[in-house]
Amino acid sequence: MANKNDDGRKIVANNKKAFYDYFIEDKLEVGIELAGTEVKSIRMGKVSIKEAYVSVVRGELVIDGMNITPYEKGNIFNKDPLRTKRLLAHKNEILKFDQKLKVKGYTILPLSVYFKNGRVKLEIGLGKGKKLYDKRDTIAKKDARREAEKDFRVKMKA
């Protein structure tokens, strides 16, 4: 479920669709303000960021639509799975992203959720929407790379 990266990150959830639908121009690692039962649920891999989006509200980054399944043994301490969660980042980083958001076509997307030194981190990215022909181009490049790898494997076996 969760795989360990070479830089000590244990990835729990990825948002592959974000890279398909958007050109990611800038990335930022932020912390998330969570309750204890939410952290336990994330450790079990019960988190989804596919429908989530990030916005700037009163000078703070918040994430909406991030689904953290309630912890089974959490009873009264469980929070609403889709509640708005505050993201922890430096003020100048928030201002930089807020300035870019004012430009038409930009949005802030969650890219991945992972553990780094025992803390839950979220990687967010500043994305500009792709047009349909850009998506087709991405698919064509991916297919060409896959074919080249397939040909290389066949030659290596022979």
Side-chain angles (χ1 to χ4, degrees):
M1 185 168 309
N3 55 344
K4 197 112 175 170
N5 239 350
D6 56 352
D7 58 351
R9 297 184 339 170
K10 182 180 167 191
I11 297 173
V12 180
N14 261 334
N15 190 358
K16 293 179 185 174
K17 194 151 174 67
F19 292 98
Y20 177 73
D21 289 336
Y22 296 90
F23 293 113
I24 305 299
E25 295 185 5
D26 198 7
K27 293 180 182 178
L28 177 66
E29 178 185 81
V30 296
I32 313 172
E33 191 175 63
L34 295 170
T37 55
E38 290 175 322
V39 175
K40 289 179 181 184
S41 191
I42 291 173
R43 275 196 199 285
M44 294 171 60
K46 306 218 175 182
V47 62
S48 172
I49 55 173
K50 285 182 176 50
E51 302 295 320
Y53 61 95
V54 178
S55 56
V56 179
V57 177
R58 293 188 302 270
E60 293 182 338
L61 286 171
V62 294
I63 184 165
D64 289 313
M66 179 178 173
N67 188 354
I68 301 174
T69 306
Y71 185 59
E72 299 105 36
K73 300 174 183 124
N75 58 42
I76 62 168
F77 299 107
N78 279 333
K79 304 280 187 196
D80 177 31
L82 293 172
R83 74 180 178 89
T84 302
K85 295 155 196 73
R86 193 168 70 127
L87 301 179
L88 310 171
H90 290 283
K91 191 63 109 182
N92 58 354
E93 294 169 336
I94 296 171
L95 290 172
K96 183 176 85 172
F97 269 61
D98 195 26
Q99 293 298 318
K100 289 275 193 161
L101 267 183
K102 290 182 171 58
V103 178
K104 187 176 182 226
Y106 279 99
T107 186
I108 305 175
L109 306 157
L111 302 176
S112 64
V113 177
Y114 54 90
F115 281 95
K116 185 175 180 182
N117 300 328
R119 299 200 186 322
V120 179
K121 299 290 182 179
L122 176 72
E123 186 175 44
I124 59 174
L126 187 69
K128 188 168 179 74
K130 286 185 180 179
K131 304 283 189 232
L132 185 61
Y133 55 85
D134 291 325
K135 292 179 186 177
R136 288 184 190 137
D137 187 46
T138 303
I139 292 170
K141 285 180 184 175
K142 199 179 286 185
D143 286 345
R145 193 188 86 240
R146 200 175 295 130
E147 285 294 320
E149 287 176 357
K150 184 179 173 184
D151 292 342
F152 182 72
R153 269 188 251 126
V154 170
K155 288 177 184 176
M156 291 297 286
K157 286 181 181 179

